Amino acid sequence: MNAHAPLTAFESERGLEIRQERGQRAVFCGLTGIVWLHRKIQDAFFLVVGSRTCAHLIQSAAGVMIFAEPRFATAIMDERDLAGLADMNDELDAVVGRLVARRPEIKLLFLVGSCPSEVIKLDLSRAAQRLSRSLAPDVRVLSYSGSGIETTFTQGEDACLASLVPEMPAEAAQAEPALLVVGALADVVEDQFARIFSEMGIGPVRFLPARRAGAMPPVGPNTRYLLAQPFLTEAARVLDERGATRLSAPFPLGAEGTTGWLRAAADAFGVGAERFATATAPGLRRAEQALAPYRAMLAQRRIFFFPDSQLEIPLARFLSREMGAELVEVGTPYLHRGHLDREMALLPRGTRIVEGQSLDDQMDRCRQARPDLTVCGLGLANPLEAEGLATKWSIELLFTPIQGYDQAGDLAELFARPLVRRTRLEV
Amino acid sequence: MQLTVWTYEGPPHIGAMRVATAMKGLHYVLHAPQGDTYADLLFTMIERRDARPPVTYTTFQARDLGSDTAAIFKDAVAAAYERFRPEAMIVGASCTAELIQDDPGGLAKALALPIPVIPLDLPAYQKKENWGASETFYRLVRTLAAAVKPATPRETRRPLCNILGPTALGFRHRDDLVEIRKLLDALGIDVNVVAPLGASPADLGRLGEADFNVVLYPEIARAAGQHLKKTFGQPMVETVPIGVAATIRFVEEVATIAGVDPAPVLSGAPSRLPWYSRSVDSTYLTGKRVFIFGDATHALAAARVAATELGFKVVGLGSYAREFAREIRAEAALHGIEATITDDYLDVEAAIQASAAELVLGTQMERHIAKRLGLPCAVISAPIHVQDFPARHSPQMGFEGANVLFDTWVHPLMMGLEEHLLGMFREDSEFHADAAPSHLGPGHQAVPPPPARYDTHASGGQHGSPLLEGEGQGEVCGLSGDGPHLTPTLSFQEREPVAPHVEPSRMDEQPSSRGANPVANAGEERGSSSAAWAADAEKELKKIPFFVRGKARANTERFARERALPLITVETLYDAKAHFGR
């Protein structure tokens, strides 16, 4: 615990310092993904099988939203359940039966595993199969784990999408090449990308997850997929298993990232340079216009990232290359070297990337460096502010549309706002 | 396995964390999986604390399960001691760590640290947050409180007491404490130790020096207070000073135990509530039907204040604190009702609908139930959200607390009347629209149809930014006119019954607890049940102010049922009104 891993020169050819750290981690578990996923897939319900802690986490993370449209709930295990496994499956069936009877509009039910259910090895995948049989054809039941022992924050979405992939229909044998965009995006962002792909003449373009359970896109050897989010390790793996091909690309954050991401699709679908330029020019122009005012605020600002969502490396790339910020340390809970290959190539030499966390040590480094802006979770933000450090709470980056050209300015603004606020407050 | 959409309390280790975070010089090492650090943000965000809670989590992951999680725990304890150098430490497990049975107490003991290390045994699958806080505080007091004599003999100094109960993340604990200190000081009583809030382990060692203990929040501190009573013979004042009468009783009890004169503190008009409540502007509050739910301390106090200091009628009383069920039931019996003891918020929602309340006093959750049902509400108890940790001084306790209660509870009703008057003056132009069977005409934000369990309220506008919601001032939840109202002379508000309990009981009308749609017939949409409504009677019913219309409908249908009337006419409506009062 709390022991430093030795510094390694893992990426010496790129001049990146990659450190691995183990110890106390201040991160969310994968259950938190439910907070946005239940809104994305409109006829799905997420039933966590866990403890009171899990229920408490979700309601704390969801804030007041739980009352607006609670398409998630927790089956809280109690002492009786822990006595014997057979009994527990019966209990689960009863809970699901009641739930489905009261929510007839549900078409897809996710049984979401938690730390307690994983530790006692409750087999939720078998439970899902059993329940799917008994509830067919009205409700499909899937399972994935959002437990803290297995998943960190956004990895819950990864696990959820991975559980959907086997459900995707097989594409037709002679299907034309299709583009699949993987990762939950804000509806507005999804629509923007769809328009740009259409202008480039790429099609069909489909998105995973789809907005409705019954409309999941087909997949097969003619599917090329683009990851819209950097945390989709498992989903990519199972897509590969179904014959789909990943297009290597940076992530669509900022003008440069968006262009690189779109270009990966354009290259794969043989879009000519001129047509690509025509399709992307308006977006690029608007992004440049929107970013300009924030550059003055963010240039030369020293930024420190605590690990949270795996978005840290693409965000650091955006802030350093497009906004002129300096990177003190870029923490990430998990570093997928393949998926982030293109991103790391764009990071400035000497950037220190820390995979994993030893919280107190990392806080010491942060305090010592006294960065101009610290990107961190809500458990750390106010304590660091009280120590005089400006912070940007990281969870907002998952709840805000930030991808694509037309959100580039909004993305920069998220980082500029805490700095602007500091200049305004006179008390 | 229990289907849970919302939980009123967190797991017991959250309670332990509330005690540790309240204190100074105490560190908590919690054996817990990665992710359980979400609890930090309850303190840093909701309570807006400026420092991390003094909690080290082991945050083990799946790969650690194959190896030695016990070693991880031991290392975490050793590292936490080295870094934070606390005076004492508590160690325990969260729900998942409880399953892997690493014995935190034994492991920590093996390290032989030079400070007290107190193991916590908090059964996460049986117990909840408040129990966890109470147990933790009790263990700390039991271990640390030493038999010490007061520094000076009793005769030569002012009386000395401890204040027990305030914690981190407590509903208004910060300001309650200010009020109680003020009262004690005015009585000439010194405060020895306040705990857990602000106390160090060394302070707990000095608890024995006090002459007596004041237990402000029995959920948290009754067990510790009883221990101190048994061990050191310290008397315990357990009257919760919420409301004017309770505060007076509290002052008198404390004065008796301390041997001081309460008169100077009680003389004059220490609270404005009594005059405000007697002033004629408050007359319309008489008999307002109020539903109360919360923790035991606040629900009990609120019931008494509502009935005897504001003149409301308590039509529902309940708590999620099963440990205090007996006391809640006894209080409910005084109001002629049956207590709602449950931690299932859907049961609470059903009970609120069945009660046909005009005002809801509850937790953050009842605030949202009320929003759905279009009822005014105010928050009186945890669980609460960020807006109920206000910047301004907002006690619930003491004489100033009573002032706050008056403003907070009446505020949504005042607004309700304003809304009601708006409805009146729209009568003519909207009459025809409202005459249609649906009361969801344009321009009306009517009482939404009663939600089925687990059903959702689709209107996105219902939930604006939480930051913009009223800051504990109480609020009006979707209270706009849902049709033309006649003047209040047609009000079906009840008089206070002459003899208690002549009023028809609602409990027998409560829908059979957990049916498919148990709440649907409690509100406005009774439609097909019992006698049919003649069209003109239905129309006449719509002229009754909507916040008492549900009750009027229920009474009329009951009246018709008892007399086996096949059709409810306008005559029946007024007959029922005459029968049941006003």
Side-chain angles (χ1 to χ4, degrees):
Chain A
M1 197 75 194
N2 297 347
H4 284 275
L7 293 179
T8 53
F10 175 83
E11 288 284 333
S12 52
E13 76 274 15
R14 286 176 187 159
L16 299 179
E17 174 195 327
I18 299 186
R19 173 195 289 223
Q20 281 167 312
E21 212 173 31
R22 291 190 67 175
Q24 186 183 176
R25 294 165 68 112
V27 290
F28 278 128
C29 66
L31 294 181
T32 325
I34 292 171
V35 173
W36 65 88
L37 285 169
H38 88 285
R39 286 295 180 92
K40 184 71 194 177
I41 313 174
Q42 291 158 19
D43 47 6
F45 194 99
F46 293 77
L47 180 66
V48 177
V49 182
S51 64
R52 188 169 302 282
T53 309
C54 307
H56 197 232
L57 159 85
I58 298 221
Q59 76 187 35
S60 304
V64 297
M65 194 180 71
I66 191 167
F67 296 96
E69 201 166 344
R71 280 197 305 264
F72 47 86
T74 309
I76 294 186
M77 303 188 300
D78 54 34
E79 274 194 312
R80 290 179 310 118
D81 301 311
L82 299 175
L85 285 181
D87 177 39
M88 203 148 167
N89 281 308
D90 294 344
E91 290 273 311
L92 182 59
D93 290 3
V95 165
V96 169
R98 268 169 52 202
L99 181 64
V100 170
R102 294 199 166 105
R103 295 294 298 265
E105 77 281 13
I106 298 169
K107 296 284 180 283
L108 177 61
L109 176 65
F110 288 101
L111 301 179
V112 188
S114 64
C115 300
S117 73
E118 295 295 331
V119 165
I120 63 165
K121 305 211 183 304
L122 178 62
D123 192 339
L124 287 183
S125 67
R126 269 183 56 191
Q129 284 171 17
R130 181 180 69 237
L131 286 161
S132 261
R133 277 195 301 275
S134 65
L135 296 172
D138 299 335
V139 186
R140 188 90 186 98
V141 185
L142 300 177
S143 74
Y144 71 90
S145 172
S147 73
I149 57 177
E150 292 157 304
T151 59
T152 304
F153 194 29
T154 48
Q155 285 177 318
E157 176 176 330
D158 185 28
C160 174
L161 299 192
S163 78
L164 276 172
V165 171
E167 298 296 302
M168 295 164 73
E171 66 188 10
Q174 301 303 318
E176 52 180 333
L179 178 64
L180 181 67
V181 176
V182 187
L185 291 169
D187 291 346
V188 60
V189 176
E190 209 174 278
D191 295 343
Q192 287 168 6
F193 285 149
R195 282 198 296 271
I196 296 176
F197 286 129
S198 157
E199 276 160 40
M200 288 195 285
I202 296 176
V205 179
R206 301 173 181 124
F207 294 86
L208 181 71
R211 297 180 198 183
R212 304 208 77 88
M216 292 302 157
V219 66
N222 293 317
T223 301
R224 321 276 162 81
Y225 68 93
L226 264 181
L227 297 180
Q229 301 279 18
F231 44 74
L232 299 173
T233 305
E234 190 58 21
R237 195 184 62 76
V238 287
L239 282 168
D240 292 343
E241 278 179 2
R242 294 202 57 180
T245 312
R246 182 176 72 89
L247 304 177
S248 176
F251 291 91
L253 297 171
E256 183 184 36
T258 302
T259 304
W261 189 77
L262 292 170
R263 190 185 300 280
D267 291 348
F269 284 80
V271 178
E274 197 175 323
R275 187 158 191 194
F276 181 79
T278 310
T280 53
L284 263 174
R285 179 182 49 74
R286 288 197 299 267
E288 180 49 42
Q289 188 186 348
L291 286 173
Y294 298 111
R295 222 160 258 146
M297 286 173 239
L298 290 168
Q300 267 104 54
R301 299 290 193 149
R302 298 167 61 253
I303 301 191
F304 192 109
F305 283 88
F306 277 81
D308 190 53
S309 63
Q310 301 183 46
L311 282 166
E312 294 83 4
I313 288 176
L315 290 171
R317 179 264 302 157
F318 161 71
L319 288 170
S320 79
R321 288 178 62 95
E322 296 191 49
M323 308 312 288
E326 290 176 24
L327 306 175
V328 179
E329 174 168 323
V330 184
T332 180
Y334 175 74
L335 177 58
H336 191 296
R337 286 159 175 78
H339 290 180
L340 285 158
D341 187 56
R342 299 278 295 275
E343 291 286 353
M344 290 199 290
L346 296 171
L347 286 177
R349 291 185 72 81
T351 300
R352 185 205 293 159
I353 297 173
V354 178
E355 182 184 14
Q357 186 173 32
S358 172
L359 177 62
D360 288 315
D361 295 316
Q362 194 166 36
M363 288 187 79
D364 284 348
R365 292 198 298 275
C366 180
R367 288 175 180 128
Q368 199 179 0
R370 294 208 67 80
D372 296 307
L373 187 66
T374 302
V375 185
C376 62
L378 293 174
L380 303 180
N382 274 336
L384 289 175
E385 290 278 352
E387 292 180 26
L389 295 172
T391 62
K392 163 78 212 100
W393 53 283
S394 50
I395 299 146
E396 199 176 9
L397 296 159
L398 269 299
F399 295 161
T400 310
I402 55 170
Q403 292 85 2
Y405 291 126
D406 289 310
Q407 282 67 238
D410 302 343
L411 178 59
E413 198 272 343
L414 284 179
F415 293 97
R417 194 186 307 166
L419 299 171
V420 171
R421 183 163 185 77
R422 293 203 141 221
T423 66
R424 288 195 183 194
L425 300 183
E426 294 180 6
V427 290
Chain B
M1 223 176 248
Q2 188 199 351
L3 185 57
T4 309
V5 184
W6 171 282
T7 167
Y8 278 96
E9 292 184 74
H13 73 258
I14 298 290
M17 204 176 290
R18 286 175 56 187
V19 171
T21 305
M23 289 181 60
K24 292 179 198 134
L26 178 73
H27 201 84
Y28 184 14
V29 180
L30 179 62
H31 204 14
Q34 166 179 264
D36 279 4
T37 51
Y38 83 86
D40 282 356
L41 67 91
L42 303 173
F43 300 94
T44 62
M45 295 303 290
I46 295 180
E47 201 178 6
R48 285 186 229 253
R49 286 190 168 253
D50 61 1
R52 288 187 55 229
V55 182
T56 295
Y57 306 78
T58 54
T59 58
F60 56 84
Q61 294 175 263
R63 62 184 175 198
D64 301 317
L65 293 177
S67 60
D68 195 354
T69 49
I72 292 177
F73 180 79
K74 272 175 84 168
D75 292 348
V77 174
Y81 175 72
E82 276 310 310
R83 177 176 285 270
F84 298 104
R85 294 280 169 174
E87 289 176 38
M89 217 182 246
I90 50 179
V91 297
S94 77
C95 52
T96 303
E98 188 181 329
L99 296 173
I100 58 178
Q101 299 184 324
D102 277 335
D103 183 21
L107 292 167
K109 200 173 169 191
L111 289 171
L113 296 177
I115 53 166
V117 177
I118 300 149
L120 299 176
D121 187 15
L122 308 176
Y125 298 92
Q126 287 173 39
K127 301 291 190 181
K128 289 178 281 186
E129 179 177 334
N130 281 334
W131 186 90
S134 175
E135 173 71 7
T136 303
F137 187 47
Y138 165 73
R139 291 278 153 204
L140 281 165
V141 167
R142 216 180 85 148
T143 309
L144 299 172
V148 283
K149 284 272 162 271
T152 50
R154 175 69 189 84
E155 296 72 33
T156 62
R157 58 169 175 80
R158 306 206 317 171
L160 196 60
C161 76
N162 299 313
I163 300 177
L164 306 179
T167 63
L169 216 63
F171 178 60
R172 308 293 165 86
H173 287 195
R174 176 197 70 193
D175 301 337
D176 284 349
L177 190 53
V178 172
E179 289 305 307
I180 297 308
R181 278 179 174 280
K182 216 188 288 176
L183 282 178
L184 293 169
D185 188 53
L187 284 167
I189 298 167
D190 287 332
V191 175
N192 179 46
V193 171
V194 177
L197 193 61
S200 67
D203 292 333
L204 296 189
R206 299 189 295 107
L207 283 171
E209 292 180 22
D211 301 315
F212 65 98
N213 289 309
V214 170
V215 171
L216 288 186
Y217 307 101
E219 280 97 336
I220 312 282
R222 177 182 284 175
Q226 282 168 340
H227 171 75
L228 291 169
K229 189 174 175 182
K230 208 171 75 187
T231 315
F232 303 135
Q234 291 170 327
M236 170 166 85
V237 176
E238 218 189 348
T239 297
V240 176
I242 297 180
V244 175
T247 302
I248 292 170
R249 212 162 55 243
F250 171 83
V251 168
E252 287 171 344
E253 272 182 50
V254 168
T256 304
I257 287 181
V260 298
D261 182 9
V265 172
L266 300 180
S267 67
S271 171
R272 292 181 203 98
L273 181 145
W275 167 241
Y276 271 54
S277 197
R278 281 173 197 278
S279 75
V280 294
D281 186 50
S282 299
T283 311
Y284 83 103
L285 301 177
T286 314
K288 282 269 183 218
R289 303 169 58 86
V290 56
F291 187 99
I292 297 167
F293 194 83
D295 65 17
T297 300
H298 291 89
L300 286 171
R304 291 164 195 162
V305 172
T308 64
E309 300 184 18
L310 291 173
F312 292 155
K313 176 168 181 53
V314 178
V315 297
L317 174 63
S319 177
Y320 53 81
R322 289 184 190 281
E323 294 91 336
F324 293 78
R326 205 171 43 81
E327 287 157 84
I328 300 276
R329 289 206 173 93
E331 179 69 25
L334 293 178
H335 300 276
I337 52 176
E338 202 173 303
T340 306
I341 307 294
T342 179
D343 60 359
D344 184 337
Y345 108 105
L346 297 163
D347 287 348
V348 177
E349 185 178 79
I352 289 177
Q353 274 208 307
S355 75
E358 298 166 65
L359 172 67
V360 178
L361 302 177
T363 72
Q364 170 71 15
M365 207 147 39
E366 281 67 50
R367 175 188 243 163
H368 291 271
I369 293 172
K371 197 174 257 180
R372 277 188 182 179
L373 302 179
L375 293 171
C377 69
V379 171
I380 58 158
S381 161
I384 41 182
H385 219 290
V386 63
Q387 58 270 56
D388 280 302
F389 286 96
R392 67 175 184 277
H393 185 57
S394 314
Q396 303 286 291
M397 290 185 172
F399 295 120
E400 179 61 21
N403 295 340
V404 171
L405 295 186
F406 184 91
D407 291 346
T408 309
W409 298 4
V410 173
H411 175 81
L413 291 174
M414 298 270 273
M415 298 299 286
L417 272 195
E418 286 166 14
E419 290 281 352
H420 172 55
L421 289 171
L422 283 176
M424 278 176 63
F425 294 121
R426 285 188 310 187
E427 181 184 348
D428 287 343
S429 61
E430 309 217 349
F431 185 79
H432 289 292
D434 194 68
S438 164
H439 55 272
L440 297 170
H444 299 303
Q445 195 198 352
V447 177
R453 311 199 110 194
Y454 307 104
D455 199 4
T456 63
H457 193 67
S459 160
Q462 287 264 331
H463 301 274
S465 161
L467 298 175
L468 296 178
E469 283 187 29
E471 295 189 347
Q473 271 284 38
E475 61 214 50
V476 178
C477 301
L479 254 193
S480 58
D482 69 338
H485 307 306
L486 282 193
T487 59
T489 53
L490 220 125
S491 162
F492 268 62
Q493 281 191 76
E494 296 148 309
R495 267 192 301 268
E496 197 59 48
V498 182
H501 218 26
V502 294
E503 190 250 337
S505 160
R506 293 157 299 96
M507 300 314 290
D508 54 347
E509 290 184 7
Q510 207 159 2
S512 55
S513 66
R514 311 191 64 135
N517 193 2
V519 293
N521 57 351
E524 303 233 341
E525 308 302 308
R526 295 182 71 99
S528 59
S529 72
S530 62
W533 284 76
D536 57 345
E538 189 83 48
K539 206 161 148 185
E540 197 73 7
L541 182 70
K542 292 237 160 98
K543 296 174 184 172
I544 293 163
F546 70 91
F547 50 89
V548 287
R549 199 181 303 152
K551 186 67 193 165
R553 181 188 282 273
N555 278 351
T556 308
E557 287 176 0
R558 180 191 167 88
F559 182 85
R561 201 163 49 242
E562 283 170 357
R563 282 154 191 78
L565 302 176
L567 184 72
I568 295 172
T569 63
V570 175
E571 288 303 309
T572 321
L573 182 67
Y574 287 105
D575 285 346
K577 177 171 181 272
H579 177 77
F580 289 116
R582 203 151 65 90

